Amino acid sequence: MNSEGSMEGSSADDKTPRGRNVAHVRGGSMGAAFPMRSPGKAGGGGGQHQHRDKKGHHHYHHSKHNLGTLQKLLPWVTIGLLSLIALVLLGSALFPGYIFMCPETIKRLPEHCVKLESDPVQHDWVSAVLPFDCFQADQTSPVIAHRVDDVKYDFFLSLLDFGTRRRPNRNMVRLLDGRPFLKPDLAVAMQSVLEMLIEAKAVRPDSLVIDAGAGIGAAAFAAAAMGVRVLALDPVLANVLKMCDAVHLNRAAKRVKLHLAAVSDTAGNITIHNILSNLEHSAVTEAVLTLASKDAPVIPTTVESLPIDSLVLPDQHVAVLKVTVQGWELHALRGAAGLLSRPPKEAPFVLYEEDRLLLRAGNTTPAAVRGWLAGYGYSECDKAHGLVHCRKKGSLLDA
């Protein structure tokens, strides 16, 4: 080849049939020589070639060379395509969960959910209460979503609170800087607890995580990324719709079920309060919201209230119960009395928020919540990642 990429030494006189018109095409990374088609015969698919005899008359003939080459290659192309399809099907059979769970899982096959005996994503499951239907709900906009940074099991979140022009949400700034979203403490807490439970064989293929007060789903999708089924509840429609975005982004439609509801100790309706400037945050007690924003208008909304026990079928195993409901934790846990009464090896690991000011605004205290849990055998409690971690003595973690 010469420096311009054309073939060295090729010419119409010594490399082509006598008298054939040849066009030399240069460009890209390689030049080439192509026979010129006659005028009016563009695309002559039958392999027509033009040549002139000694008297200069034009003659055409059909070549079977191209057709024969295609016929020879066709079996090999077919075999290649069938082999590719077979490899894809084999990969789906061997690694069904890793294909659908979360990005970059192939890099972590040895540690990603290996303690689970089968992948629940392949089998739909039933909850005791009809879940929220994301496909029938309106699509919110804009959708601003990204991968969460620096968590062991990757997942995506869709933002609800963008902040303001003067004080943008930190994740908006990170997005503009080309960085993933900040990892929430809730996600770190959930994944660390689930890893510990999986190691102790306290998580089954059909186990559930119940996330009461899910917000936009930081803890819920952190759990779903590890292959665990999740029931996520939140009383704010805007939050639930953002979790619908995350259900799609995380390919988690068969692993995560959503409920637009508050949790309490009785079924019925309950009034919750939202800050107009930040609908992501809500509370049953209006006084809780004044702690966060004294001057912002508060909107009361009536929503369905469900006891946690009503969400669980008698034979469903719950691995983790997470309750973060802005000072309403004691009422929510009272609604889970049946679940918490299970034997130590069947009872869920409990994560809940213990904010003294929020609990006081909700007419209770941290001691009251811990004392109530202790009455059901939850005597092993400590605090990490902003949440209280409680388990019963004699659970599988003690084995």
Side-chain angles (χ1 to χ4, degrees), residues 327-331 334 355-369:
W328 203 247
E329 279 75 13
L330 183 56
H331 297 273
R334 283 174 176 166
D355 186 300
R356 188 178 300 276
L357 293 177
L358 293 180
L359 289 171
R360 182 182 300 169
N363 299 316
T364 187
T365 64
V369 178

Side-chain angles (χ1 to χ4, degrees), residues 123-139:
H123 309 285
D124 204 0
W125 50 285
V126 178
S127 59
V129 177
L130 190 67
F132 185 84
D133 189 346
C134 289
F135 293 98
Q136 296 297 323
D138 293 335
Q139 175 62 55

Side-chain angles (χ1 to χ4, degrees), residues 250-311:
N250 291 287
R251 310 299 191 262
K254 289 189 176 180
R255 226 173 311 126
V256 177
K257 294 190 185 296
L258 308 178
H259 294 274
L260 176 61
V263 289
S264 192
D265 47 1
T266 57
N269 293 325
I270 194 169
T271 299
I272 64 165
H273 300 83
N274 299 94
I275 299 176
L276 181 61
S277 60
N278 188 354
L279 294 177
E280 185 176 343
H281 298 290
S282 64
V284 174
T285 307
E286 185 176 357
V288 168
L289 297 181
T290 61
L291 296 173
S293 182
K294 295 181 179 179
D295 301 324
V298 174
I299 305 173
T301 307
T302 300
V303 298
E304 183 181 14
S305 172
L306 295 172
I308 291 170
D309 281 339
S310 69
L311 297 165

Side-chain angles (χ1 to χ4, degrees), residues 82-211:
L82 291 175
S83 300
L84 180 61
I85 293 171
L87 285 172
V88 171
L89 293 176
L90 180 62
S92 299
L94 291 176
F95 307 110
Y98 307 119
I99 290 174
F100 295 101
M101 280 184 191
C102 64
E104 302 180 4
T105 52
I106 297 301
K107 298 178 183 178
R108 297 197 295 260
L109 281 180
E111 63 184 0
H112 192 93
C113 307
V114 294
K115 300 298 188 298
L116 296 178
E117 296 176 7
S118 64
D119 178 30
V121 74
Q122 299 299 320
H123 309 285
D124 204 0
W125 50 285
V126 178
S127 59
V129 177
L130 190 67
F132 185 84
D133 189 346
C134 289
F135 293 98
Q136 296 297 323
D138 293 335
Q139 175 62 55
T140 60
S141 63
V143 176
I144 298 180
H146 204 351
R147 182 175 59 85
V148 173
D149 191 24
D150 198 26
V151 289
K152 196 166 186 181
Y153 304 97
D154 301 341
F155 63 96
F156 290 81
L157 286 179
S158 179
L159 282 188
L160 174 61
D161 176 20
F162 305 146
T164 64
R165 186 186 295 270
R166 297 182 64 182
R167 296 185 63 183
N169 185 299
R170 287 181 297 172
N171 281 326
M172 294 293 291
V173 176
R174 290 175 66 90
L175 186 67
L176 293 173
D177 289 341
R179 294 183 292 167
F181 288 166
L182 286 166
K183 64 178 178 182
D185 283 343
L186 293 174
V188 177
M190 180 61 74
Q191 290 193 350
S192 64
V193 166
L194 279 174
E195 278 197 321
M196 180 174 60
L197 293 173
I198 290 171
E199 186 67 31
K201 299 190 182 332
V203 179
R204 308 169 187 170
D206 61 344
S207 292
L208 302 181
V209 166
I210 297 179
D211 186 356

